[in-house]
Amino acid sequence: MAALRLPPLPTIREILKLFRLRAVKQLSQNFLLDLRLTDKIVRKAGNLTNAYVYEVGPGPGGITRSILNANVAELLVVEKDSQFIPGLQMLSDAAPGKLRIVHGDVLTFKIEKSFPASLKRPWEDDPPNIHIIGNLPFSVSTPLIIKWLENISNRNGPFAYGRTQMTLTFQKEVAERLVATTGSEQRSRLSVMAQYLCDVKHIFTIPGQAFVPKPEVDVGVVHFIPSIQPKIEQPFKLVEKVVQNVFQFRRKYCHRGLGMLFPEAQRLESTGKLLRLADIDPTLRPTQLSILHFRSLCDIYRKMCDEDPQLFGYNFREELKQKKDKQQVKEEEEEEESCGL
């Protein structure tokens, strides 16, 4: 099949002028105009010849062009901001039958039935010939990757087809967190959640000045390949709860955050039991806990939840709020009594 080359088109800068496109600050939009950089992002995604690609947040279409020039079978783009649709439509006209445009929100868009069922691969096989690529607005990147990590855990959404690969941009600081190793300063909730489910690589950094408008930070390009076997074999929500609780007190010893998994009346005893059975030193800091540590913690916490079915639903903030509400009622009653009411 002859390789598709797009016909001569206005540059991305000219597209911005032609359609009077403006970056919306509230949506943290930044446009990548240098086609050498968009080509590099696409190259790093892997061999896209005859691949099916899902691009999120295409904006004025810089990466979109590079993907189309990589001779893909089909490109599906999902764009929330209506101002970009006419420019994308121009690209679609230049590449007949190759580009599908959906005006919608990536956080709610259901991709499960967007590509042919014949592309599905068993989870244990090589990844399917489907790729997710995107220069994500900073405001969306973290909630979206958490959503997709949950999809990986459940093998649904874009991962109903198998171990779909992702090549995505993040603020450099977020990219560093995603790949941070045990003991590093950047180690965080994101590090653990991404690494227990995927092979994650920070493949290169794009300087902020390459974008329009220039963000205050540089941008990291990160590649994800879902693992055949997750490093923690527990439900995503359970892992997320344990990891979130540990890292909410990232400067404290790990027992501080783990204690918040348990109601106050049993906190000391249950936290001690969890750490003892998981064989973890209570004076380790959250950043010092490895994936193996978290696996032990999640496995033991799961057993404790099985023994006490109400435990998983416990939220320490709700208990704190109830205590405050009771205290407030008590103070109001005492005030009424002192006033002789």
Side-chain angles (χ1 to χ4, degrees), residues 146 149 176-183 186-198 200 230-232 236 239-244 246-247 250 285-295 297-298:
I146 290 291
L149 289 170
E176 287 171 347
R177 279 189 214 146
L178 283 162
V179 299
T181 52
T182 307
Q186 289 92 351
R187 186 77 164 172
S188 69
R189 172 183 71 118
L190 269 183
S191 322
V192 178
M193 298 307 293
Q195 292 168 33
Y196 99 83
L197 287 164
C198 298
V200 193
K231 294 182 178 71
I232 302 171
F236 183 87
V239 179
E240 186 177 40
K241 186 173 184 182
V242 171
V243 174
Q244 271 181 335
V246 168
F247 278 102
R250 57 179 294 117
R285 310 277 179 187
T287 55
Q288 295 173 302
L289 295 177
S290 67
I291 300 283
L292 282 175
H293 285 135
F294 277 105
R295 184 172 76 183
L297 287 167
C298 291

mmCIF file of all heavy atoms in Angstrom, residues 146 149 176-183 186-198 200 230-232 236 239-244 246-247 250 285-295 297-298:
data_model
loop_
_atom_site.group_PDB
_atom_site.id
_atom_site.type_symbol
_atom_site.label_atom_id
_atom_site.label_comp_id
_atom_site.label_asym_id
_atom_site.label_seq_id
_atom_site.Cartn_x
_atom_site.Cartn_y
_atom_site.Cartn_z
ATOM 1 N N ILE A 146 -4.781 8.414 35.675
ATOM 2 C CA ILE A 146 -5.341 7.577 36.749
ATOM 3 C C ILE A 146 -6.535 6.776 36.217
ATOM 4 O O ILE A 146 -6.677 5.575 36.492
ATOM 5 C CB ILE A 146 -5.756 8.437 37.968
ATOM 6 C CG1 ILE A 146 -4.511 8.982 38.691
ATOM 7 C CG2 ILE A 146 -6.639 7.652 38.932
ATOM 8 C CD1 ILE A 146 -3.672 7.944 39.413
ATOM 9 N N LEU A 149 -5.130 4.038 34.044
ATOM 10 C CA LEU A 149 -4.496 2.991 34.857
ATOM 11 C C LEU A 149 -5.562 2.059 35.445
ATOM 12 O O LEU A 149 -5.380 0.837 35.491
ATOM 13 C CB LEU A 149 -3.643 3.616 35.970
ATOM 14 C CG LEU A 149 -2.344 4.297 35.491
ATOM 15 C CD1 LEU A 149 -1.719 5.095 36.624
ATOM 16 C CD2 LEU A 149 -1.343 3.293 34.930
ATOM 17 N N GLU A 176 8.545 13.057 35.818
ATOM 18 C CA GLU A 176 9.572 12.541 36.739
ATOM 19 C C GLU A 176 8.949 11.720 37.857
ATOM 20 O O GLU A 176 9.522 10.719 38.295
ATOM 21 C CB GLU A 176 10.392 13.709 37.299
ATOM 22 C CG GLU A 176 11.345 14.308 36.256
ATOM 23 C CD GLU A 176 12.010 15.589 36.726
ATOM 24 O OE1 GLU A 176 11.564 16.166 37.752
ATOM 25 O OE2 GLU A 176 12.973 16.028 36.068
ATOM 26 N N ARG A 177 7.768 12.131 38.315
ATOM 27 C CA ARG A 177 7.073 11.362 39.353
ATOM 28 C C ARG A 177 6.657 9.996 38.831
ATOM 29 O O ARG A 177 6.738 8.989 39.530
ATOM 30 C CB ARG A 177 5.819 12.111 39.827
ATOM 31 C CG ARG A 177 6.106 13.190 40.847
ATOM 32 C CD ARG A 177 4.802 13.708 41.422
ATOM 33 N NE ARG A 177 4.902 15.127 41.719
ATOM 34 C CZ ARG A 177 3.932 16.002 41.609
ATOM 35 N NH1 ARG A 177 2.745 15.617 41.195
ATOM 36 N NH2 ARG A 177 4.116 17.259 41.918
ATOM 37 N N LEU A 178 6.181 9.960 37.595
ATOM 38 C CA LEU A 178 5.700 8.704 37.012
ATOM 39 C C LEU A 178 6.792 7.637 36.958
ATOM 40 O O LEU A 178 6.510 6.444 37.086
ATOM 41 C CB LEU A 178 5.147 8.954 35.601
ATOM 42 C CG LEU A 178 3.748 9.598 35.547
ATOM 43 C CD1 LEU A 178 3.479 10.202 34.174
ATOM 44 C CD2 LEU A 178 2.665 8.577 35.897
ATOM 45 N N VAL A 179 8.049 8.058 36.776
ATOM 46 C CA VAL A 179 9.147 7.087 36.641
ATOM 47 C C VAL A 179 10.040 7.037 37.884
ATOM 48 O O VAL A 179 11.025 6.291 37.901
ATOM 49 C CB VAL A 179 10.013 7.394 35.388
ATOM 50 C CG1 VAL A 179 9.183 7.304 34.122
ATOM 51 C CG2 VAL A 179 10.680 8.766 35.486
ATOM 52 N N ALA A 180 9.705 7.807 38.929
ATOM 53 C CA ALA A 180 10.573 7.908 40.107
ATOM 54 C C ALA A 180 10.774 6.548 40.782
ATOM 55 O O ALA A 180 9.833 5.787 40.975
ATOM 56 C CB ALA A 180 9.983 8.905 41.103
ATOM 57 N N THR A 181 12.032 6.264 41.150
ATOM 58 C CA THR A 181 12.370 4.989 41.773
ATOM 59 C C THR A 181 12.248 5.096 43.297
ATOM 60 O O THR A 181 12.184 6.196 43.857
ATOM 61 C CB THR A 181 13.799 4.570 41.398
ATOM 62 O OG1 THR A 181 14.678 5.660 41.696
ATOM 63 C CG2 THR A 181 13.908 4.247 39.920
ATOM 64 N N THR A 182 12.246 3.945 43.951
ATOM 65 C CA THR A 182 12.158 3.883 45.413
ATOM 66 C C THR A 182 13.300 4.687 46.030
ATOM 67 O O THR A 182 14.458 4.530 45.640
ATOM 68 C CB THR A 182 12.254 2.415 45.883
ATOM 69 O OG1 THR A 182 11.288 1.652 45.183
ATOM 70 C CG2 THR A 182 12.018 2.303 47.385
ATOM 71 N N GLY A 183 12.951 5.563 46.968
ATOM 72 C CA GLY A 183 13.956 6.357 47.668
ATOM 73 C C GLY A 183 14.215 7.726 47.073
ATOM 74 O O GLY A 183 14.848 8.571 47.702
ATOM 75 N N GLN A 186 11.225 12.421 44.179
ATOM 76 C CA GLN A 186 10.000 12.559 43.359
ATOM 77 C C GLN A 186 9.015 11.404 43.552
ATOM 78 O O GLN A 186 7.914 11.445 43.020
ATOM 79 C CB GLN A 186 10.365 12.646 41.863
ATOM 80 C CG GLN A 186 11.028 13.946 41.459
ATOM 81 C CD GLN A 186 12.544 13.841 41.547
ATOM 82 O OE1 GLN A 186 13.063 12.855 42.060
ATOM 83 N NE2 GLN A 186 13.239 14.853 41.068
ATOM 84 N N ARG A 187 9.423 10.384 44.282
ATOM 85 C CA ARG A 187 8.562 9.208 44.494
ATOM 86 C C ARG A 187 7.213 9.652 45.061
ATOM 87 O O ARG A 187 7.149 10.426 46.024
ATOM 88 C CB ARG A 187 9.245 8.254 45.466
ATOM 89 C CG ARG A 187 8.541 6.928 45.663
ATOM 90 C CD ARG A 187 8.771 5.995 44.516
ATOM 91 N NE ARG A 187 8.417 4.606 44.861
ATOM 92 C CZ ARG A 187 8.380 3.624 43.987
ATOM 93 N NH1 ARG A 187 8.680 3.851 42.731
ATOM 94 N NH2 ARG A 187 8.068 2.410 44.361
ATOM 95 N N SER A 188 6.127 9.163 44.489
ATOM 96 C CA SER A 188 4.803 9.648 44.879
ATOM 97 C C SER A 188 3.750 8.587 44.605
ATOM 98 O O SER A 188 4.054 7.484 44.131
ATOM 99 C CB SER A 188 4.457 10.908 44.064
ATOM 100 O OG SER A 188 4.240 10.548 42.707
ATOM 101 N N ARG A 189 2.512 8.958 44.890
ATOM 102 C CA ARG A 189 1.365 8.090 44.586
ATOM 103 C C ARG A 189 1.380 7.676 43.113
ATOM 104 O O ARG A 189 1.165 6.512 42.769
ATOM 105 C CB ARG A 189 0.075 8.861 44.899
ATOM 106 C CG ARG A 189 -1.202 8.178 44.452
ATOM 107 C CD ARG A 189 -2.431 9.032 44.721
ATOM 108 N NE ARG A 189 -2.529 10.178 43.860
ATOM 109 C CZ ARG A 189 -3.514 10.405 42.993
ATOM 110 N NH1 ARG A 189 -4.511 9.556 42.888
ATOM 111 N NH2 ARG A 189 -3.535 11.487 42.257
ATOM 112 N N LEU A 190 1.638 8.651 42.214
ATOM 113 C CA LEU A 190 1.643 8.371 40.772
ATOM 114 C C LEU A 190 2.701 7.342 40.407
ATOM 115 O O LEU A 190 2.478 6.494 39.540
ATOM 116 C CB LEU A 190 1.905 9.657 39.980
ATOM 117 C CG LEU A 190 0.713 10.490 39.547
ATOM 118 C CD1 LEU A 190 1.192 11.673 38.715
ATOM 119 C CD2 LEU A 190 -0.290 9.670 38.750
ATOM 120 N N SER A 191 3.881 7.423 41.038
ATOM 121 C CA SER A 191 4.972 6.472 40.747
ATOM 122 C C SER A 191 4.484 5.046 40.973
ATOM 123 O O SER A 191 4.657 4.170 40.122
ATOM 124 C CB SER A 191 6.187 6.720 41.654
ATOM 125 O OG SER A 191 6.425 8.075 41.879
ATOM 126 N N VAL A 192 3.883 4.821 42.136
ATOM 127 C CA VAL A 192 3.463 3.468 42.515
ATOM 128 C C VAL A 192 2.304 3.000 41.637
ATOM 129 O O VAL A 192 2.314 1.871 41.117
ATOM 130 C CB VAL A 192 3.073 3.405 44.006
ATOM 131 C CG1 VAL A 192 2.594 2.007 44.389
ATOM 132 C CG2 VAL A 192 4.258 3.824 44.881
ATOM 133 N N MET A 193 1.300 3.859 41.435
ATOM 134 C CA MET A 193 0.124 3.464 40.660
ATOM 135 C C MET A 193 0.485 3.132 39.213
ATOM 136 O O MET A 193 -0.062 2.200 38.620
ATOM 137 C CB MET A 193 -0.947 4.567 40.704
ATOM 138 C CG MET A 193 -1.492 4.884 42.096
ATOM 139 S SD MET A 193 -2.105 3.450 43.009
ATOM 140 C CE MET A 193 -3.537 2.990 42.036
ATOM 141 N N ALA A 194 1.414 3.901 38.626
ATOM 142 C CA ALA A 194 1.810 3.641 37.236
ATOM 143 C C ALA A 194 2.702 2.406 37.140
ATOM 144 O O ALA A 194 2.511 1.549 36.275
ATOM 145 C CB ALA A 194 2.530 4.860 36.664
ATOM 146 N N GLN A 195 3.669 2.296 38.058
ATOM 147 C CA GLN A 195 4.690 1.251 37.925
ATOM 148 C C GLN A 195 4.207 -0.141 38.330
ATOM 149 O O GLN A 195 4.765 -1.137 37.894
ATOM 150 C CB GLN A 195 5.923 1.643 38.729
ATOM 151 C CG GLN A 195 6.656 2.849 38.141
ATOM 152 C CD GLN A 195 7.708 3.412 39.086
ATOM 153 O OE1 GLN A 195 8.339 2.690 39.842
ATOM 154 N NE2 GLN A 195 7.893 4.722 39.042
ATOM 155 N N TYR A 196 3.151 -0.217 39.138
ATOM 156 C CA TYR A 196 2.676 -1.564 39.478
ATOM 157 C C TYR A 196 1.881 -2.182 38.324
ATOM 158 O O TYR A 196 1.712 -3.403 38.251
ATOM 159 C CB TYR A 196 1.896 -1.551 40.808
ATOM 160 C CG TYR A 196 0.381 -1.532 40.754
ATOM 161 C CD1 TYR A 196 -0.354 -2.704 40.596
ATOM 162 C CD2 TYR A 196 -0.332 -0.340 40.911
ATOM 163 C CE1 TYR A 196 -1.749 -2.691 40.581
ATOM 164 C CE2 TYR A 196 -1.716 -0.318 40.905
ATOM 165 C CZ TYR A 196 -2.427 -1.497 40.733
ATOM 166 O OH TYR A 196 -3.806 -1.474 40.725
ATOM 167 N N LEU A 197 1.460 -1.330 37.378
ATOM 168 C CA LEU A 197 0.655 -1.815 36.250
ATOM 169 C C LEU A 197 1.370 -1.752 34.904
ATOM 170 O O LEU A 197 0.957 -2.422 33.962
ATOM 171 C CB LEU A 197 -0.631 -0.983 36.149
ATOM 172 C CG LEU A 197 -1.680 -1.242 37.229
ATOM 173 C CD1 LEU A 197 -2.693 -0.115 37.267
ATOM 174 C CD2 LEU A 197 -2.371 -2.583 37.015
ATOM 175 N N CYS A 198 2.416 -0.932 34.797
ATOM 176 C CA CYS A 198 3.035 -0.678 33.493
ATOM 177 C C CYS A 198 4.556 -0.635 33.558
ATOM 178 O O CYS A 198 5.139 -0.364 34.609
ATOM 179 C CB CYS A 198 2.594 0.694 32.946
ATOM 180 S SG CYS A 198 0.848 0.886 32.629
ATOM 181 N N VAL A 200 7.118 1.893 32.511
ATOM 182 C CA VAL A 200 6.998 3.341 32.257
ATOM 183 C C VAL A 200 8.375 3.925 31.962
ATOM 184 O O VAL A 200 9.324 3.703 32.725
ATOM 185 C CB VAL A 200 6.407 4.073 33.492
ATOM 186 C CG1 VAL A 200 5.986 5.491 33.118
ATOM 187 C CG2 VAL A 200 5.229 3.322 34.070
ATOM 188 N N PRO A 230 0.239 -7.666 36.691
ATOM 189 C CA PRO A 230 0.442 -6.518 37.592
ATOM 190 C C PRO A 230 1.307 -6.923 38.784
ATOM 191 O O PRO A 230 1.271 -8.070 39.222
ATOM 192 C CB PRO A 230 -0.978 -6.149 38.039
ATOM 193 C CG PRO A 230 -1.784 -7.381 37.822
ATOM 194 C CD PRO A 230 -1.164 -8.112 36.673
ATOM 195 N N LYS A 231 2.088 -5.986 39.273
ATOM 196 C CA LYS A 231 2.999 -6.291 40.390
ATOM 197 C C LYS A 231 2.249 -6.368 41.727
ATOM 198 O O LYS A 231 2.791 -6.861 42.715
ATOM 199 C CB LYS A 231 4.117 -5.253 40.453
ATOM 200 C CG LYS A 231 5.043 -5.312 39.233
ATOM 201 C CD LYS A 231 6.172 -4.304 39.349
ATOM 202 C CE LYS A 231 7.107 -4.402 38.156
ATOM 203 N NZ LYS A 231 6.506 -3.893 36.916
ATOM 204 N N ILE A 232 1.020 -5.850 41.751
ATOM 205 C CA ILE A 232 0.148 -5.998 42.930
ATOM 206 C C ILE A 232 -1.168 -6.579 42.414
ATOM 207 O O ILE A 232 -1.818 -5.966 41.553
ATOM 208 C CB ILE A 232 -0.110 -4.638 43.629
ATOM 209 C CG1 ILE A 232 1.217 -3.993 44.053
ATOM 210 C CG2 ILE A 232 -1.028 -4.819 44.845
ATOM 211 C CD1 ILE A 232 1.078 -2.562 44.561
ATOM 212 N N PHE A 236 -7.994 -2.341 41.885
ATOM 213 C CA PHE A 236 -7.386 -1.014 41.729
ATOM 214 C C PHE A 236 -7.766 -0.073 42.871
ATOM 215 O O PHE A 236 -6.914 0.627 43.423
ATOM 216 C CB PHE A 236 -7.830 -0.411 40.384
ATOM 217 C CG PHE A 236 -7.205 0.929 40.087
ATOM 218 C CD1 PHE A 236 -5.971 1.001 39.464
ATOM 219 C CD2 PHE A 236 -7.854 2.115 40.419
ATOM 220 C CE1 PHE A 236 -5.383 2.236 39.180
ATOM 221 C CE2 PHE A 236 -7.272 3.347 40.148
ATOM 222 C CZ PHE A 236 -6.039 3.406 39.517
ATOM 223 N N VAL A 239 -5.783 -0.801 46.032
ATOM 224 C CA VAL A 239 -4.390 -0.348 45.919
ATOM 225 C C VAL A 239 -4.332 1.173 46.026
ATOM 226 O O VAL A 239 -3.511 1.739 46.758
ATOM 227 C CB VAL A 239 -3.757 -0.818 44.585
ATOM 228 C CG1 VAL A 239 -2.312 -0.316 44.464
ATOM 229 C CG2 VAL A 239 -3.808 -2.327 44.455
ATOM 230 N N GLU A 240 -5.238 1.841 45.303
ATOM 231 C CA GLU A 240 -5.266 3.310 45.309
ATOM 232 C C GLU A 240 -5.481 3.849 46.724
ATOM 233 O O GLU A 240 -4.836 4.813 47.140
ATOM 234 C CB GLU A 240 -6.377 3.803 44.378
ATOM 235 C CG GLU A 240 -6.397 5.311 44.193
ATOM 236 C CD GLU A 240 -7.452 5.762 43.210
ATOM 237 O OE1 GLU A 240 -8.578 5.198 43.217
ATOM 238 O OE2 GLU A 240 -7.177 6.674 42.425
ATOM 239 N N LYS A 241 -6.370 3.213 47.482
ATOM 240 C CA LYS A 241 -6.662 3.681 48.845
ATOM 241 C C LYS A 241 -5.428 3.551 49.747
ATOM 242 O O LYS A 241 -5.093 4.482 50.483
ATOM 243 C CB LYS A 241 -7.840 2.897 49.430
ATOM 244 C CG LYS A 241 -8.282 3.433 50.783
ATOM 245 C CD LYS A 241 -9.548 2.767 51.297
ATOM 246 C CE LYS A 241 -9.971 3.432 52.606
ATOM 247 N NZ LYS A 241 -11.158 2.819 53.194
ATOM 248 N N VAL A 242 -4.751 2.412 49.675
ATOM 249 C CA VAL A 242 -3.557 2.197 50.495
ATOM 250 C C VAL A 242 -2.470 3.210 50.112
ATOM 251 O O VAL A 242 -1.882 3.875 50.972
ATOM 252 C CB VAL A 242 -3.031 0.751 50.345
ATOM 253 C CG1 VAL A 242 -1.669 0.587 51.021
ATOM 254 C CG2 VAL A 242 -4.035 -0.246 50.933
ATOM 255 N N VAL A 243 -2.229 3.357 48.817
ATOM 256 C CA VAL A 243 -1.156 4.244 48.339
ATOM 257 C C VAL A 243 -1.467 5.703 48.685
ATOM 258 O O VAL A 243 -0.590 6.448 49.154
ATOM 259 C CB VAL A 243 -0.936 4.056 46.821
ATOM 260 C CG1 VAL A 243 0.069 5.068 46.285
ATOM 261 C CG2 VAL A 243 -0.460 2.638 46.523
ATOM 262 N N GLN A 244 -2.710 6.122 48.471
ATOM 263 C CA GLN A 244 -3.104 7.503 48.803
ATOM 264 C C GLN A 244 -2.906 7.793 50.286
ATOM 265 O O GLN A 244 -2.396 8.857 50.654
ATOM 266 C CB GLN A 244 -4.582 7.732 48.443
ATOM 267 C CG GLN A 244 -4.780 8.200 47.024
ATOM 268 C CD GLN A 244 -6.250 8.437 46.708
ATOM 269 O OE1 GLN A 244 -7.140 7.864 47.323
ATOM 270 N NE2 GLN A 244 -6.523 9.288 45.733
ATOM 271 N N VAL A 246 -0.867 6.349 52.417
ATOM 272 C CA VAL A 246 0.561 6.400 52.752
ATOM 273 C C VAL A 246 1.156 7.753 52.370
ATOM 274 O O VAL A 246 1.858 8.383 53.168
ATOM 275 C CB VAL A 246 1.334 5.257 52.042
ATOM 276 C CG1 VAL A 246 2.836 5.482 52.149
ATOM 277 C CG2 VAL A 246 0.966 3.912 52.648
ATOM 278 N N PHE A 247 0.862 8.220 51.157
ATOM 279 C CA PHE A 247 1.531 9.429 50.651
ATOM 280 C C PHE A 247 0.895 10.734 51.116
ATOM 281 O O PHE A 247 1.447 11.806 50.858
ATOM 282 C CB PHE A 247 1.625 9.391 49.119
ATOM 283 C CG PHE A 247 2.791 8.578 48.625
ATOM 284 C CD1 PHE A 247 2.602 7.290 48.144
ATOM 285 C CD2 PHE A 247 4.076 9.086 48.669
ATOM 286 C CE1 PHE A 247 3.678 6.523 47.709
ATOM 287 C CE2 PHE A 247 5.161 8.342 48.231
ATOM 288 C CZ PHE A 247 4.961 7.053 47.759
ATOM 289 N N ARG A 250 3.667 12.396 53.381
ATOM 290 C CA ARG A 250 4.894 11.909 52.739
ATOM 291 C C ARG A 250 6.162 12.223 53.538
ATOM 292 O O ARG A 250 7.188 11.585 53.362
ATOM 293 C CB ARG A 250 5.022 12.403 51.305
ATOM 294 C CG ARG A 250 4.986 13.884 51.090
ATOM 295 C CD ARG A 250 5.137 14.265 49.624
ATOM 296 N NE ARG A 250 6.450 13.928 49.103
ATOM 297 C CZ ARG A 250 6.664 13.062 48.127
ATOM 298 N NH1 ARG A 250 5.654 12.429 47.557
ATOM 299 N NH2 ARG A 250 7.885 12.808 47.703
ATOM 300 N N ARG A 285 9.982 5.971 55.485
ATOM 301 C CA ARG A 285 9.192 7.080 54.899
ATOM 302 C C ARG A 285 8.427 6.549 53.683
ATOM 303 O O ARG A 285 8.860 5.572 53.053
ATOM 304 C CB ARG A 285 10.109 8.221 54.456
ATOM 305 C CG ARG A 285 11.111 8.686 55.500
ATOM 306 C CD ARG A 285 10.514 9.665 56.477
ATOM 307 N NE ARG A 285 11.505 10.070 57.473
ATOM 308 C CZ ARG A 285 11.241 10.815 58.529
ATOM 309 N NH1 ARG A 285 9.984 11.226 58.736
ATOM 310 N NH2 ARG A 285 12.168 11.151 59.387
ATOM 311 N N PRO A 286 7.323 7.192 53.306
ATOM 312 C CA PRO A 286 6.582 6.740 52.121
ATOM 313 C C PRO A 286 7.449 6.573 50.875
ATOM 314 O O PRO A 286 7.269 5.613 50.121
ATOM 315 C CB PRO A 286 5.532 7.843 51.941
ATOM 316 C CG PRO A 286 5.276 8.332 53.341
ATOM 317 C CD PRO A 286 6.620 8.272 54.017
ATOM 318 N N THR A 287 8.393 7.506 50.646
ATOM 319 C CA THR A 287 9.227 7.434 49.437
ATOM 320 C C THR A 287 10.171 6.232 49.457
ATOM 321 O O THR A 287 10.711 5.858 48.421
ATOM 322 C CB THR A 287 10.061 8.720 49.276
ATOM 323 O OG1 THR A 287 10.813 8.933 50.478
ATOM 324 C CG2 THR A 287 9.182 9.929 49.004
ATOM 325 N N GLN A 288 10.382 5.634 50.650
ATOM 326 C CA GLN A 288 11.295 4.480 50.774
ATOM 327 C C GLN A 288 10.594 3.139 50.560
ATOM 328 O O GLN A 288 11.250 2.098 50.542
ATOM 329 C CB GLN A 288 11.951 4.495 52.164
ATOM 330 C CG GLN A 288 12.864 5.696 52.395
ATOM 331 C CD GLN A 288 13.353 5.757 53.839
ATOM 332 O OE1 GLN A 288 12.557 5.818 54.775
ATOM 333 N NE2 GLN A 288 14.663 5.720 54.022
ATOM 334 N N LEU A 289 9.279 3.171 50.406
ATOM 335 C CA LEU A 289 8.534 1.922 50.215
ATOM 336 C C LEU A 289 8.579 1.491 48.750
ATOM 337 O O LEU A 289 8.243 2.262 47.853
ATOM 338 C CB LEU A 289 7.083 2.100 50.655
ATOM 339 C CG LEU A 289 6.843 2.380 52.141
ATOM 340 C CD1 LEU A 289 5.355 2.602 52.397
ATOM 341 C CD2 LEU A 289 7.366 1.249 53.023
ATOM 342 N N SER A 290 8.994 0.250 48.520
ATOM 343 C CA SER A 290 9.068 -0.295 47.159
ATOM 344 C C SER A 290 7.702 -0.855 46.739
ATOM 345 O O SER A 290 6.778 -0.947 47.560
ATOM 346 C CB SER A 290 10.105 -1.418 47.117
ATOM 347 O OG SER A 290 9.638 -2.520 47.901
ATOM 348 N N ILE A 291 7.615 -1.245 45.474
ATOM 349 C CA ILE A 291 6.383 -1.886 44.993
ATOM 350 C C ILE A 291 6.128 -3.176 45.776
ATOM 351 O O ILE A 291 4.979 -3.507 46.108
ATOM 352 C CB ILE A 291 6.468 -2.189 43.473
ATOM 353 C CG1 ILE A 291 6.674 -0.908 42.656
ATOM 354 C CG2 ILE A 291 5.225 -2.940 42.999
ATOM 355 C CD1 ILE A 291 5.466 -0.044 42.450
ATOM 356 N N LEU A 292 7.194 -3.899 46.121
ATOM 357 C CA LEU A 292 7.032 -5.129 46.910
ATOM 358 C C LEU A 292 6.452 -4.831 48.289
ATOM 359 O O LEU A 292 5.607 -5.571 48.794
ATOM 360 C CB LEU A 292 8.374 -5.850 47.059
ATOM 361 C CG LEU A 292 8.853 -6.652 45.839
ATOM 362 C CD1 LEU A 292 10.247 -7.213 46.090
ATOM 363 C CD2 LEU A 292 7.884 -7.772 45.492
ATOM 364 N N HIS A 293 6.906 -3.730 48.906
ATOM 365 C CA HIS A 293 6.327 -3.301 50.186
ATOM 366 C C HIS A 293 4.831 -3.059 50.030
ATOM 367 O O HIS A 293 4.016 -3.510 50.851
ATOM 368 C CB HIS A 293 6.992 -2.003 50.674
ATOM 369 C CG HIS A 293 8.373 -2.187 51.222
ATOM 370 N ND1 HIS A 293 9.417 -1.349 50.901
ATOM 371 C CD2 HIS A 293 8.887 -3.112 52.072
ATOM 372 C CE1 HIS A 293 10.504 -1.743 51.543
ATOM 373 N NE2 HIS A 293 10.218 -2.814 52.253
ATOM 374 N N PHE A 294 4.478 -2.314 48.971
ATOM 375 C CA PHE A 294 3.065 -1.991 48.761
ATOM 376 C C PHE A 294 2.249 -3.251 48.459
ATOM 377 O O PHE A 294 1.087 -3.349 48.852
ATOM 378 C CB PHE A 294 2.905 -0.949 47.642
ATOM 379 C CG PHE A 294 3.098 0.463 48.115
ATOM 380 C CD1 PHE A 294 4.259 1.161 47.823
ATOM 381 C CD2 PHE A 294 2.130 1.099 48.879
ATOM 382 C CE1 PHE A 294 4.445 2.457 48.271
ATOM 383 C CE2 PHE A 294 2.304 2.404 49.337
ATOM 384 C CZ PHE A 294 3.463 3.079 49.036
ATOM 385 N N ARG A 295 2.855 -4.205 47.768
ATOM 386 C CA ARG A 295 2.145 -5.460 47.502
ATOM 387 C C ARG A 295 1.801 -6.163 48.823
ATOM 388 O O ARG A 295 0.663 -6.612 49.010
ATOM 389 C CB ARG A 295 2.990 -6.382 46.617
ATOM 390 C CG ARG A 295 2.235 -7.662 46.241
ATOM 391 C CD ARG A 295 2.966 -8.478 45.215
ATOM 392 N NE ARG A 295 4.097 -9.193 45.788
ATOM 393 C CZ ARG A 295 4.939 -9.938 45.075
ATOM 394 N NH1 ARG A 295 4.781 -10.038 43.778
ATOM 395 N NH2 ARG A 295 5.942 -10.552 45.655
ATOM 396 N N LEU A 297 1.544 -4.798 51.807
ATOM 397 C CA LEU A 297 0.549 -3.990 52.531
ATOM 398 C C LEU A 297 -0.854 -4.219 51.968
ATOM 399 O O LEU A 297 -1.823 -4.389 52.717
ATOM 400 C CB LEU A 297 0.907 -2.501 52.447
ATOM 401 C CG LEU A 297 2.097 -2.042 53.290
ATOM 402 C CD1 LEU A 297 2.539 -0.640 52.878
ATOM 403 C CD2 LEU A 297 1.750 -2.065 54.791
ATOM 404 N N CYS A 298 -0.971 -4.225 50.640
ATOM 405 C CA CYS A 298 -2.284 -4.398 50.003
ATOM 406 C C CYS A 298 -2.837 -5.800 50.260
ATOM 407 O O CYS A 298 -4.044 -5.960 50.501
ATOM 408 C CB CYS A 298 -2.194 -4.124 48.501
ATOM 409 S SG CYS A 298 -1.890 -2.386 48.110
#
